[in-house]
Amino acid sequence: MMKQSKILFPLALLALAVGVPAAAPLTITQKGLQFSSTEISVNKGQVVTFVNDDRTAHNITVKGDGVNLNGGLQQPGGQFSVPFTKPGTYEVSCGIHPKMKLEVTVK
Amino acid sequence: MKIMRVRFLTSLCLLLFACAAHAERPAALADFERPARVPAPRGNPMTPQKAALGQMLFFDPRLSGSGAISCASCHNPALAWGDGLPRGIGHMGTTLGRRSPTILDVAFGEPYFWDGRAASLEEQAKGPLGSKSEMNMQADAAIGRIAAMPAYQSAFEQAFPGQAISLDTIAAAIATFERTVVSGEAPFDRWVKGDEEAVSQSAKRGFVLFNGKANCAVCHAGWRMSDDGFHDIGLPDDDRGRAAIAPGIEQLEHAFKTPTLRNVSQRAPYMHNGTVATLAAVIDHYDTGFVRRPSLDTQMKPLGLTAEEKADLLAFLDTLTGTAAPATIPVLPH
């Protein structure tokens, strides 16, 4: 995942460099074995930061439009940021608790 | 006047006692309230016709290649909807790799199988049917056998008007029936609702331990006592569990789905491989008996439980068995 993130971050920066406006980072919390939203809409290039407010470890997996990211283990209190650089619809889930799902639409 | 004063003092004492008892109620109880309704997916809503058809299919051994195994062979209502065996027994006596899980409250518990490889109950229902080691039944053969019986044709027409008998409709009916298998109200539920006499003091101490020192509730969360997540709890076998389905997360190696604890005292032996014979041995496992390895869930730590604390945990677990209405066995079509 970290390797894949490193690939996506420069893409996000490239988007900024060519003048595409990127909105402020958005924070989604993981608490009570749920994401704080079930669906969100973000702008191309916007970063979503996932904050684990649970007592248990989580994981961030992003799938859709050719993307398959695995964020590895996210301990309680840990954060993980994902830049969404390509328009489309993505499913964010937790590999450990698959019931945790969030749909991200990138405009 | 003297009698009135005595009555007043008695009432005051009762009121204070009631307040004290209420004040001692653990706040965590609020996290364990039973839901008001049983969920069903939009694509397969609950209907009595589908549930009745699904019940027949669930108990019908003719859905297996040998004609000898039904869903109920491994999910027997007389055994808390499991089979009481360390590992399931499949086609021609094959010993399967994992224990048969209960189907109690499955409506709430996706994903399914110990490794979560089925996202829906409908998908799960197809798995054992087609598995060569389980029911060993090809879809075409199953459809042919069912469609040859007029009573089944009629039941399908009522449950799925205008649709052909197919593997999808067979699975949808079985899943619908399985969603009706809900655990009965247990003494613990009555305590959650406010009946302080429903469980013993030992069980109440056990509940506090469950949520505190013993750290059980971190995974055995909510009213079914399951987070529907996957954890390596340090059982010594080579089964990769969830990691074989979702590779790339080290913590999912040897990780299996957290089972519900509803009716748990009726469901020995325990764990995905049935290697732990009693609930007391389960507690010993969590206390000190687990294997240390990189994938071990970070919540697994030696607990240092005393004999009394272990007894309290057992007393609490005993309060999770409900008294559901007896299951009915349907008369099958011919």
Side-chain angles (χ1 to χ4, degrees):
Chain A
M1 173 62 204
M2 290 312 292
K3 189 176 177 184
Q4 288 163 311
S5 288
K6 282 174 188 169
I7 294 169
L8 280 176
F9 266 117
L11 287 175
L13 292 173
L14 180 64
L16 287 172
V18 296
V20 177
L26 183 68
T27 298
I28 295 289
T29 56
Q30 299 140 285
K31 189 169 178 60
L33 303 174
Q34 293 179 331
F35 289 110
S36 51
S37 297
T38 55
E39 50 185 50
I40 57 172
S41 181
V42 301
N43 292 328
K44 187 172 106 173
Q46 192 167 2
V47 174
V48 179
T49 299
F50 297 92
V51 181
N52 183 357
D53 278 348
D54 255 331
R55 290 172 56 204
T56 188
H58 286 302
N59 157 265
I60 293 293
T61 298
V62 184
K63 289 184 179 172
D65 278 354
V67 173
N68 190 356
L69 301 177
N70 174 4
L73 194 64
Q74 185 188 16
Q75 295 289 0
Q79 296 190 4
F80 187 76
S81 294
V82 180
F84 286 90
T85 58
K86 186 177 160 191
T89 302
Y90 301 85
E91 183 185 90
V92 178
S93 60
C94 171
I96 299 166
H97 307 97
K99 269 188 169 177
M100 294 177 63
K101 287 182 181 148
L102 163 68
E103 187 177 283
V104 179
T105 303
V106 183
K107 295 175 283 184
Chain B
M1 188 64 189
K2 190 175 176 183
I3 291 171
M4 283 183 68
R5 193 178 301 160
V6 168
R7 281 183 180 164
F8 173 75
L9 287 172
T10 304
S11 300
L12 187 63
C13 287
L14 286 171
L15 182 64
L16 289 171
F17 179 77
C19 288
H22 183 73
E24 288 169 7
R25 283 177 63 80
L29 281 173
D31 297 333
F32 292 84
E33 285 181 20
R34 295 179 70 106
R37 54 176 289 278
V38 178
R42 280 184 197 163
N44 188 24
M46 172 68 65
T47 69
Q49 294 84 0
K50 257 191 286 182
L53 170 61
Q55 184 188 33
M56 290 192 287
L57 294 167
F58 185 89
F59 284 95
D60 198 334
R62 292 166 296 184
L63 274 182
S64 64
S66 66
I69 300 175
S70 70
C71 304
S73 299
C74 293
H75 305 288
N76 184 339
L79 294 166
W81 298 93
D83 60 13
L85 299 169
R87 296 181 188 215
I89 302 295
H91 182 63
M92 307 301 278
T94 304
T95 299
L96 305 176
R98 296 172 184 160
R99 186 168 69 89
S100 305
T102 181
I103 63 159
L104 274 171
D105 303 320
V106 282
F108 302 85
E110 72 272 13
Y112 300 98
F113 294 115
W114 282 105
D115 54 18
R117 63 186 183 275
S120 70
L121 205 44
E122 287 74 11
E123 184 184 346
Q124 189 282 331
K126 296 175 186 173
L129 281 174
S131 166
K132 285 188 164 37
S133 58
E134 296 185 52
M135 295 173 79
N136 191 34
M137 188 63 161
Q138 297 301 309
D140 289 348
I143 294 163
R145 272 191 199 173
I146 295 300
M149 290 178 261
Y152 262 131
Q153 290 174 15
S154 171
F156 268 90
E157 183 54 34
Q158 288 176 40
F160 302 99
Q163 294 186 53
I165 298 175
S166 68
L167 188 59
D168 284 343
T169 50
I170 290 171
I174 292 173
T176 300
F177 166 67
E178 289 178 327
R179 290 192 177 97
T180 69
V181 180
V182 177
S183 60
E185 186 179 78
F188 173 68
D189 299 310
R190 292 194 283 279
W191 184 37
V192 170
K193 287 199 293 192
D195 179 359
E196 290 298 322
E197 306 302 317
V199 303
S200 67
Q201 289 301 316
S202 176
K204 291 178 181 178
R205 290 193 298 272
F207 177 73
V208 174
L209 287 162
F210 187 86
N211 287 274
K213 181 178 177 180
N215 204 26
C216 314
V218 71
C219 297
H220 290 287
W223 74 278
R224 289 183 303 116
M225 287 82 181
S226 173
D227 63 357
D228 296 314
F230 298 84
H231 307 275
D232 175 10
I233 58 166
L235 288 162
D237 75 8
D238 295 329
D239 193 334
R240 292 186 66 204
R242 180 71 174 165
I245 308 301
I249 306 172
E250 185 175 55
Q251 202 180 32
L252 294 182
E253 292 288 343
H254 312 293
F256 297 88
K257 188 177 169 189
T258 308
T260 177
L261 297 185
R262 288 284 164 177
N263 292 46
V264 69
S265 59
Q266 296 179 330
R267 296 194 284 107
Y270 300 100
M271 309 300 187
H272 71 276
N273 54 11
T275 53
V276 184
T278 65
L279 275 179
V282 169
I283 293 170
D284 286 340
H285 169 83
Y286 284 109
D287 191 25
T288 57
F290 47 87
V291 173
R292 276 76 169 170
R293 56 192 169 204
S295 56
L296 184 71
D297 195 282
T298 53
Q299 297 288 341
M300 293 290 292
K301 292 167 187 159
L303 300 173
L305 296 171
T306 66
E308 185 183 7
E309 286 171 336
K310 291 179 181 180
D312 288 341
L313 278 169
L314 279 175
F316 166 64
L317 294 172
D318 272 343
T319 71
L320 302 178
T321 296
T323 49
T328 54
I329 310 297
V331 174
L332 300 178
H334 284 85

